[in-house]
Amino acid sequence: MTGASHPDGRLLVPLYVHPAVDPAAWQAVAAADPHRIAAVVLNLADGPGATPDHVFADAAEELRKAGLPLLGYADTDYGRRPHAAVVNDVLTYRQRHGITGVYLDQVATHPSALPHYRRLATAARAAGCSTVVFGHGDHPDPGYAEVGLADLLVTFEGDWTAYREMTLPLWTGRHAAARFCHLVYDVPAEEAREAAALIAARRAGVSCAVPGAGDNPWSTVPHGLTVAEPT
């Protein structure tokens, strides 16, 4: 794998831009080697949206046809969002887009919330999700890495400056690199290789590094994927 990820790692792609706004970004992801992509996260409106969106659905279907696993984004508001509301998002994604996994975002890091997230993970799997990702954005209590809870923990989400200053807790060394994902934004193109090397050194088997910044950096395509120029 070239560009922004470890040769043995894979990309988790938060594709947070509507296909009508940036069709080239979706085409770039669809054209990627499926062996490079761990999954693509679908996110219409901080969730599946109130009503079906056929343009979005058609673009998601193109990703599926390309052999890319699809995860539905669901906000958990650090444990404050009701269980039923989160599960409803999962069921809606399953119905509209046939997702095979769920990306639970804004997941709490403290151990007191573990029972809540065990229930959510169990419900997601019961709904047909074979992959459950916890988007902590920071290193959580080690209990979140227990077997059977989440398949993947996003233990960093932030800008390139913060990532260079981040330190790893010792407990992460007790788990396989494939259990961890680092999402890094505001990475200049000329520093993409440095970011890749640092991600590898920090044993994140899944990652994404993008050039974007601002309110929605994940509207940009990861380093290493080529976006065709408009004709």
Side-chain angles (χ1 to χ4, degrees):
M1 185 172 180
T2 59
S5 190
H6 181 220
D8 296 327
R10 302 173 78 195
L11 279 172
L12 177 72
V13 183
L15 192 55
Y16 298 171
V17 62
H18 196 282
V21 173
D22 191 354
W26 284 69
Q27 291 162 7
V29 175
D33 180 352
H35 294 99
R36 300 180 61 192
I37 309 294
V40 178
V41 185
L42 303 181
N43 184 6
L44 180 59
D46 287 336
T51 58
D53 182 318
H54 297 297
V55 173
F56 188 91
D58 289 347
E61 182 61 23
E62 289 302 312
L63 297 180
R64 183 197 325 288
K65 289 178 180 177
L68 304 180
L70 303 181
L71 309 181
Y73 175 99
D75 183 14
T76 72
D77 194 22
Y78 303 104
R80 292 185 291 263
R81 192 161 179 239
H83 173 93
V86 178
V87 173
N88 184 66
D89 279 357
V90 175
L91 294 173
T92 301
Y93 277 117
R94 286 281 293 164
Q95 179 184 21
R96 294 180 187 169
H97 308 298
I99 59 164
T100 57
V102 63
Y103 184 103
L104 299 177
D105 198 22
Q106 298 200 107
V107 173
T109 58
H110 50 85
S112 62
L114 269 166
H116 174 71
Y117 285 101
R118 284 194 194 98
R119 289 182 62 225
L120 283 176
T122 299
R125 295 188 196 282
C129 293
S130 59
T131 301
V132 175
V133 179
F134 281 179
H136 298 281
D138 198 357
H139 286 92
D141 180 86
Y144 285 90
E146 68 184 52
V147 174
L149 194 53
D151 301 284
L152 186 66
L153 302 178
V154 178
T155 53
F156 180 87
E157 181 177 355
D159 66 26
W160 175 223
T161 299
Y163 189 65
R164 283 182 292 189
E165 297 172 353
M166 186 262 281
T167 56
L168 285 177
L170 291 176
W171 68 262
T172 60
R174 301 196 296 269
H175 300 277
R179 296 292 310 283
F180 300 106
C181 175
H182 294 168
L183 302 178
V184 191
Y185 57 81
D186 202 9
V187 180
E190 63 272 18
E191 296 180 37
R193 290 188 179 275
E194 181 185 348
L198 189 53
I199 287 167
R202 289 174 170 170
R203 297 183 64 255
V206 182
S207 66
C208 189
V210 300
D215 291 340
N216 181 19
W218 307 114
S219 65
T220 56
V221 170
H223 288 297
L225 296 187
T226 303
V227 179
E229 292 294 331
T231 57

